Every structure is written in C-alpha cells, then in structure tokens.
Amino acid sequence: MSFTNHIKLPWRTSWEVSGELRETLFWPCQSPPARAILLMIPGNPGLADFYIDFCTSIHTEFNSLDIICVSHLGHTRFSDNRGLVYRNQKTHSLDEQVENMVCVFDKVCE
C-alpha cells in the first residue's frame, strides 16, 4: 500500500499561476499513470470546496483520472503552502478571471 493511500482526499494546496495565488484541490489517479487530467473549473460559486462531493464521485467512478479543481481568483481565504493565511486584496474582472483560467489550463497541459 502506498503512502498516498493513507492521505485523505482531496489534497489541498495553494497554487500560483501568473502571479495570482488560488486555492487548489487535487485527486490523484488511483491507478497510475493517469490516462487523462480533468480540470474542474467552478461555475457559480467559484469556490473549489463547493465541488468536493462532485469531484470525489467522478474520482471514484473513473480511477484513471487526475482531477484538479481550482477556485476563481479572489473567491477564497486560505492558508498557503507555508501556513500563512492568504486574504484576497483585489476584486478581479471577468476578463481577468478568464485570462487567468486560460493560464491555469496552459500550466496543466505543460
């Protein structure tokens, strides 16, 4: 049994993309290597936490997927990877949200 089998899913982290920090949830593939990656882009609300049950259901049904769910910019207050509380200081426009989510997509495809 691997180490990752003992960690409760989803894994929670902060992820910086194009200079913007966002809360990110990750469900690793249950039978590596992953055949595909599902990038869950929240609707309304833009909080990744709102979609935990949905992504967990997909992860249970399709065990060959890595699943990544990222909150929209400015939609969360969370601890970053150093344990520091991150508070959103800016309101982001729709164009900024879309542009940054395209950057997230590009990072996932790298």
Side-chain angles (χ1 to χ4, degrees):
M1 187 175 276
S2 82
F3 167 74
T4 58
N5 291 338
H6 299 287
I7 299 175
K8 185 178 180 211
L9 297 176
W11 297 348
R12 182 180 305 271
T13 189
S14 54
W15 186 20
E16 187 174 337
V17 177
S18 296
E20 296 288 351
L21 196 61
R22 63 178 66 242
E23 183 176 33
T24 304
L25 304 177
F26 178 63
W27 292 258
C29 173
Q30 297 174 31
S31 54
R35 291 182 37 209
I37 298 172
L38 171 67
L39 175 60
M40 173 61 192
I41 300 173
N44 186 4
L47 306 168
D49 280 349
F50 188 79
Y51 301 91
I52 288 175
D53 290 343
F54 177 68
C55 290
T56 299
S57 295
I58 293 171
H59 185 253
T60 301
E61 185 70 25
F62 302 98
N63 60 6
S64 61
L65 292 176
D66 279 341
I67 301 174
I68 302 168
C69 183
V70 294
S71 291
H72 289 299
L73 295 173
H75 283 240
T76 57
R77 189 180 98 168
F78 58 93
S79 296
D80 69 10
N81 293 335
R82 299 166 295 168
L84 302 175
V85 174
Y86 176 77
R87 291 178 181 84
N88 300 300
Q89 302 295 323
K90 180 181 176 189
T91 301
H92 299 275
S93 69
L94 177 59
D95 288 340
E96 289 172 317
Q97 293 285 359
V98 171
E99 287 173 20
N100 194 266
M101 202 55 80
V102 168
C103 291
V104 166
F105 178 82
D106 292 341
K107 285 285 187 194
V108 169
C109 292
E110 285 181 351

